[in-house]
Amino acid sequence: TTPSSASAAAPASPSSCHGHGVHSPSLDECRCTAGWTGRWCEVRAPRPCNVARSRSLCAGNCDEDRGHCYCAGLGSAFQRPLPDRCTPSVHTRSRLPDGGPALPVRRPDGAWTGFEQPGGDRWRREWAKPWPLVYDSRPGDPPLPAEARAGRWAPFLSDGVRGYCSAELNATSVFEAAAGAKRGGGRRRRKWMLTSADAAGGPALRCDEGAHGPACPEGRRGPFCEVPKPAFCLRDCRGRGRCDAGFCWCEPGWFGIDCSLSLQPPSLHEQPHEQQQPPPPPPPPP
């Protein structure tokens, strides 16, 4: 990372990088993970989800280090990813399970407010998936727009169908039974939607993949993006670090984008193969 200033204060131990990166002794600076920058990874560089003219909006908790959206109202803030393809239509009076605004935005003072929605008491993104398909309906919720109640979403708004963010993990088996036959059953729709008949007690949406491929964050897969999978890192960090969504957290003594560099002389087992062979025996005496 390019140093933010030559006078940036180094941490007590430069190799710590304030816990946000890996120190490079040869450059005397840190390589920072997502959400941080500066010579010593001391400068916050957030990636907010709900910003002006954003193509995707987060109806839940935003991991501002990586710009990923997660369902609200679960046991932990970043438990279940909510990919962009499942962002619902929202009303100015829609509220998350924790009571916060449907599209939360952090103000400069740290408090949360709602994303600007011009036009007063109205729905936003009417064409998107209805709110109850992501979060269960609750008393006091604004009535759904006519398009949702009578259009293509109507068969999926029956009793017993849970919202994607509200369904239990053990409901994933309903995806295997879904044929998607009620509303055309095209391949694209079948990827992320279930019929209400097959989905009793289970979620009506599948958000992990669609017509354009996977939507889960790096290192996750499954109907709820809850299953860990190996993340990609350059050369798998050479076996000297932990791969975290493309970033190598190198073991002590190693650094570099793939943990291939060290200031210590290589040990015998790390020498090239030809240098590990014993010297040839002396020629026989004449």
Side-chain angles (χ1 to χ4, degrees):
T1 306
T2 302
S4 58
S5 68
S7 60
S13 173
S15 61
S16 71
C17 299
H18 292 91
H20 305 307
V22 176
H23 184 244
S24 171
S26 60
L27 298 176
D28 194 25
E29 65 180 40
C30 294
R31 178 173 56 88
C32 306
T33 187
W36 296 90
T37 187
R39 181 176 181 179
W40 310 110
C41 302
E42 79 284 3
V43 179
R44 188 78 169 91
R47 304 177 183 182
C49 296
N50 298 328
V51 296
R53 293 183 292 276
S54 174
R55 292 186 57 198
S56 60
L57 297 173
C58 177
N61 302 322
C62 179
D63 176 359
E64 293 192 337
D65 281 345
R66 304 184 180 187
H68 291 165
C69 184
Y70 292 80
C71 292
L74 298 179
S76 60
F78 304 144
Q79 178 176 333
R80 182 174 301 175
L82 181 60
D84 173 52
R85 72 176 76 254
C86 277
T87 299
S89 58
V90 298
H91 193 275
T92 50
R93 292 187 282 113
S94 297
R95 289 292 179 267
L96 296 172
D98 58 9
L103 301 175
V105 177
R106 191 191 298 273
R107 297 190 316 212
D109 62 2
W112 291 94
T113 185
F115 189 82
E116 291 295 331
Q117 301 185 39
D121 196 50
R122 61 183 288 271
W123 282 92
R124 180 186 179 93
R125 297 165 52 97
E126 294 89 343
W127 46 266
K129 301 162 185 64
W131 183 265
L133 295 187
V134 177
Y135 294 103
D136 288 348
S137 297
R138 296 184 301 171
D141 284 350
L144 293 175
E147 178 185 351
R149 296 195 306 270
R152 60 181 177 139
W153 304 109
F156 305 93
L157 294 170
S158 62
D159 294 337
V161 178
R162 303 297 305 275
Y164 168 83
C165 288
S166 307
E168 300 294 333
L169 230 65
N170 58 14
T172 57
S173 59
V174 301
F175 292 113
E176 305 303 324
K182 272 200 171 182
R183 298 292 295 176
R187 180 174 178 81
R188 178 174 180 177
R189 180 171 298 161
R190 216 176 300 165
K191 286 283 189 178
W192 46 262
M193 188 187 299
L194 301 181
T195 64
S196 56
D198 288 329
L205 293 177
R206 176 172 179 159
C207 297
D208 64 324
E209 60 182 75
H212 301 291
C216 294
E218 178 68 20
R220 300 277 195 104
R221 63 178 179 86
F224 296 119
C225 301
E226 81 287 359
V227 181
K229 73 171 184 178
F232 171 79
C233 279
L234 187 63
R235 302 183 185 88
D236 291 329
C237 305
R238 299 276 188 174
R240 301 171 183 137
R242 175 175 60 87
C243 180
D244 178 19
F247 185 90
C248 286
W249 289 96
C250 301
E251 296 173 353
W254 296 95
F255 60 97
I257 193 172
D258 60 350
C259 304
S260 61
L261 303 177
S262 175
L263 295 182
Q264 301 297 322
S267 60
L268 181 63
H269 71 276
E270 290 169 339
Q271 297 284 351
H273 180 73
E274 60 269 18
Q275 296 183 19
Q276 297 182 26
Q277 303 303 319

